[in-house]
Amino acid sequence: MSVLPDQHVINQIISGHYADPFSLLGMHSVSAGLEVRALLPDADQVWVIDVEKGKQVAELRRYDERGFFVGLIPRRKNAFRYKLEVRWGENLHVIDDPYRFGTLLQELDIWLLAEGTHLRPYEKLGAHPQTLDDVDGVSFAVWAPNATRVSVVGEFNFWDGRRHPMRQRRENGIWELFIPAVHEGQLYKFEIIDCRGNITLRADPYAFEAQMRPDTASCVRKIPDVVPFSETRKKANALNQPVSVYEVHLGSWRRHTDDNFWLSYGELAEQLVSYAKWMGFTHIELMPVNEHPFDGSWGYQPLGMYAPTRRFGTPMDFKAFVDAAHDAGLNVILDWVPGHFPSDSHGLAEFDGTALYEYADPREGYHQDWNTLIYNYGRHEVRNYLAGNGFYWIERFGIDGLRVDAVASMIYRDYSRKAGEWIPNYYGGRENLEAIAFLKYTNQTIGRELGGAVTLAEESTDYPGVTMPPDANGLGFHYKWNLGWMHDSLQYMQLDPVHRKYHHNLMTFGVLYAYSENFILPLSHDEVVHGKKSLLDRMPGDTWQKFANLRAYYGFMWAHPGKKLLFMGGEFAQGREWNFDASLDWHLLDDPAGWHSGVQHLVRDLNLTYQANAPLYELDYNPRGFEWLVVDDHENSIFAFARRDENGGEVIVISNFTPVPREHYRIGITRPGRYHEILNTDSHFYRGSNVGNCGDVYSENIGHHQREHSISITIPPLATVYLRREEA
């Protein structure tokens, strides 16, 4: 006979408060045969169809007027494939019952997800179109161990949390459900009844696409195909290669002139990629493209970690953009933010009613500076969520490197906190041991599994070993932003030339620690916002001197040990601060003979010269590649050094940071010979005064600077000159 459920249980499932739907719904063996139970609100009639026989085998009767149906198939003991034929008014639909399918996660996946070592958690969690038992649909899975019930809601079920409650895998707190007939492109969320009884609607933490703000639903999308890592892309990231990075905010690089609307990923693939290639950059670095609710965060407060922002197009559009960059010979670096996340109600904050993704204590889990939450790096599932995300962007979109934002805020518990506002670690120290372990694990895993991809740290302190391997007690990054060099050199350049002789060490100090890490020299977006002025506007003097100072500074930077990074607009000396809500001032280039065009052509030539001359990059991280020739001429504010490569090539670099030209300036050199002037920032091509050395300079057997040979040159005012040693 039928074993009917208790009315209290039926009330619970109809009200959406029953946490074990598979124990009630679907096909169950009873003493009299097989019983099928279904929750179909507003349905009028329901029949069970034997798929193999292709006919109705039982009618389900409405056991509860609110849509709970029960029917017995007598004298049958073995479960079989079935469908439900449902009549809603005049409409008749044949549907597959989600509650006839078995568990989705395999034991190995459950183990690895709980352990926090699943390389690709995004292949199991989230929403995945697939075919089960010849039925097309979507499998959903979400981690919410402390929730009392989780349902999938979306366009396919009237956003009704009663219709598709999920199965909880008690082994690891993941809820799962396969829903037939759901297809790619449909919107969904998870309706969660948390441990306090509150009902919340949450976007999928693993969603591959999200709605355009202010809407917040997730969108069913297939996971992108794996992008093979070519040898060319691997080589371009190497320590002994030229790396010149163009940092870009996609929403404000260029906009449509008629409505100030963003360019699409497709338009950026045409315009930005071709421009960066023409300018001679080797890499494009994108400020965060993860979905984020607030434009003014520039992407640094992400919620959709697995979803490229919908502002500029679809995930496949973004992937096509990356492909276009690769086709043009450019590598793509993604600004990646595992350091914090906003507390928006549709996001991760108290996801299941508890501090699931964040630390519970605000002294650990709240960023005062940014009004955001901090990930609990000690929780295995959170570490897996973040490390897997880095893996995802590299493997599925072809991203070549991850620039990790605000590393210092992650690794120090007292970051931007006063005494009493932070909790020491287990040993009483200020280091966040869990965050350090997470960074080591992520960097080591990417290095081992995705050889060729790189990670870059924006780390603002002197934490030791940022670019050392984890097994040597380092953090395992490939590169570190040299923020110390940036601050010192900009401080020097902002001085009136008459005062620079008193601060000469600001330009030389960086070499003392240049080989302690694998440094990138960054002039990033952070230096042209919040009242800091543009790079051009920081330069002292009249218009001519401002532009000359900037050109000389760029020349010094491109020759200094370390890879290069320049934020958009800096390449043509934009005069105003960056505004994320408007296009760069491209009209400044309307005059091809103007000051701004001159700087643009200089940066292009710097990039091309840099790539064409191995001494400028090959030994960036080896002291053999650098030698000071003039380091102590404070009075004249002159610096001279040699850059060398593995094969004996040499480029001598001389910078004059005063507006006074220096004629017959003698510099002692190590290797005699002919030196050819390959770049001069004072050239008339760059709108300079065109003072120079007419091509070649020959060494003389005149001792100087404790060296047997020397050269006598003319050094232009506020300029940097490159001289390449030529074979006889």
Side-chain angles (χ1 to χ4, degrees), residues 443-712:
N443 289 330
Q444 193 169 42
T445 302
I446 289 175
R448 181 181 66 244
E449 302 291 337
L450 300 172
V454 294
T455 55
L456 308 85
E458 187 224 6
E459 202 284 306
S460 55
T461 72
D462 57 356
Y463 186 92
V466 171
T467 56
M468 291 287 287
D471 55 12
N473 203 32
L475 291 183
F477 287 93
H478 298 82
Y479 294 100
K480 175 183 175 177
W481 277 22
N482 193 338
L483 298 175
W485 175 90
M486 178 273 296
H487 285 299
D488 287 350
S489 61
L490 277 177
Q491 182 180 343
Y492 178 87
M493 293 305 301
Q494 289 175 108
L495 296 169
D496 187 290
V498 73
H499 299 302
R500 286 174 175 166
K501 62 183 177 181
Y502 303 111
H503 304 274
H504 199 75
N505 64 304
L506 289 174
M507 295 296 268
T508 61
F509 180 64
V511 176
L512 294 179
Y513 61 87
Y515 304 102
S516 62
E517 304 277 7
N518 302 329
F519 282 121
I520 289 180
L521 310 181
L523 294 177
S524 74
H525 65 277
D526 280 330
E527 310 320 312
V528 291
V529 290
H530 302 321
K532 294 179 183 177
K533 302 181 181 180
S534 68
L535 293 178
L536 177 68
D537 208 21
R538 292 202 204 186
M539 300 297 117
D542 58 22
T543 300
W544 186 92
Q545 290 184 342
K546 282 181 178 292
F547 279 92
N549 269 303
L550 188 61
R551 294 193 305 266
Y553 181 43
Y554 284 167
F556 182 88
M557 170 182 171
W558 255 257
H560 193 282
K563 310 307 181 187
K564 327 299 172 190
L565 180 142
L566 184 65
F567 182 57
M568 64 182 197
E571 80 277 13
F572 60 82
Q574 175 156 302
R576 63 176 176 86
E577 280 193 353
W578 169 53
N579 175 10
F580 75 91
D581 210 20
S583 171
L584 296 178
D585 293 336
W586 294 102
H587 63 274
L588 297 175
L589 297 170
D590 289 346
D591 180 5
W595 299 104
H596 298 277
S597 296
V599 174
Q600 183 190 48
H601 287 291
L602 170 66
V603 171
R604 181 173 188 264
D605 285 353
L606 281 169
N607 279 330
L608 298 178
T609 301
Y610 172 59
Q611 294 180 54
N613 292 274
L616 295 176
Y617 62 80
E618 191 173 75
L619 296 177
D620 263 332
Y621 307 117
N622 190 319
R624 292 188 295 110
F626 179 90
E627 181 188 4
W628 278 116
L629 301 179
V630 178
V631 69
D632 56 358
D633 191 353
H634 304 75
E635 282 300 320
N636 295 312
S637 296
I638 286 176
F639 306 85
F641 53 85
R643 296 298 310 277
R644 301 189 178 101
D645 63 20
E646 290 281 12
N647 298 317
E650 182 174 335
V651 173
I652 291 177
V653 180
I654 309 101
S655 292
N656 175 10
F657 287 114
T658 70
V660 180
R662 309 293 176 182
E663 296 182 352
H664 310 299
Y665 190 94
R666 188 164 294 278
I667 299 173
I669 61 172
T670 303
R671 301 173 63 198
R674 176 172 65 94
Y675 288 83
H676 182 67
E677 187 176 273
I678 57 174
L679 189 136
N680 182 343
T681 67
D682 192 50
S683 167
H684 71 89
F685 291 113
Y686 315 131
R687 315 302 173 251
S689 59
N690 213 35
V691 173
N693 294 278
C694 300
D696 289 336
V697 175
Y698 292 87
S699 65
E700 300 174 86
N701 293 326
I702 299 175
H704 201 68
H705 292 130
Q706 293 80 50
R707 297 177 179 87
E708 295 182 4
H709 306 276
S710 60
I711 54 175
S712 177

Side-chain angles (χ1 to χ4, degrees), residues 54-69:
K55 66 177 184 179
Q56 297 176 356
V57 293
E59 182 178 359
L60 307 187
R61 67 185 179 90
R62 186 189 289 110
Y63 184 76
D64 188 289
E65 289 299 320
R66 293 168 293 179
F68 186 79
F69 290 81

Side-chain angles (χ1 to χ4, degrees), residues 119 125 167 187 522 636 658:
L119 292 180
L125 294 166
R167 171 196 288 116
L187 299 176
N636 295 312
T658 70

Side-chain angles (χ1 to χ4, degrees), residues 380-409:
H380 293 171
E381 296 87 349
V382 174
R383 181 182 70 178
N384 219 166
Y385 170 72
L386 294 171
N389 184 252
F391 217 86
Y392 166 78
W393 288 103
I394 295 169
E395 187 172 62
R396 297 290 178 163
F397 285 95
I399 295 299
D400 300 282
L402 300 174
R403 178 267 192 186
V404 183
D405 178 65
V407 171
S409 76

Side-chain angles (χ1 to χ4, degrees), residues 69-136:
F69 290 81
V70 178
L72 180 67
I73 307 169
R75 297 180 300 279
R76 294 188 68 165
K77 296 297 183 182
N78 298 320
F80 58 90
R81 291 177 59 196
Y82 68 94
K83 293 179 181 287
L84 299 176
E85 187 175 275
V86 187
R87 182 178 297 280
W88 280 283
E90 297 181 356
N91 299 311
L92 189 66
H93 297 275
V94 177
I95 64 173
D96 284 281
D97 185 0
Y99 299 96
R100 80 168 180 84
F101 296 92
T103 56
L104 303 178
L105 291 175
Q106 303 301 308
E107 289 187 6
L108 179 59
D109 292 315
I110 288 174
W111 175 274
L112 294 176
L113 289 169
E115 189 182 55
T117 57
H118 201 299
L119 292 180
R120 300 172 178 86
Y122 49 85
E123 293 183 350
K124 302 302 175 182
L125 294 166
H128 295 273
Q130 62 182 118
T131 301
L132 290 183
D133 199 16
D134 296 325
V135 176
D136 293 333

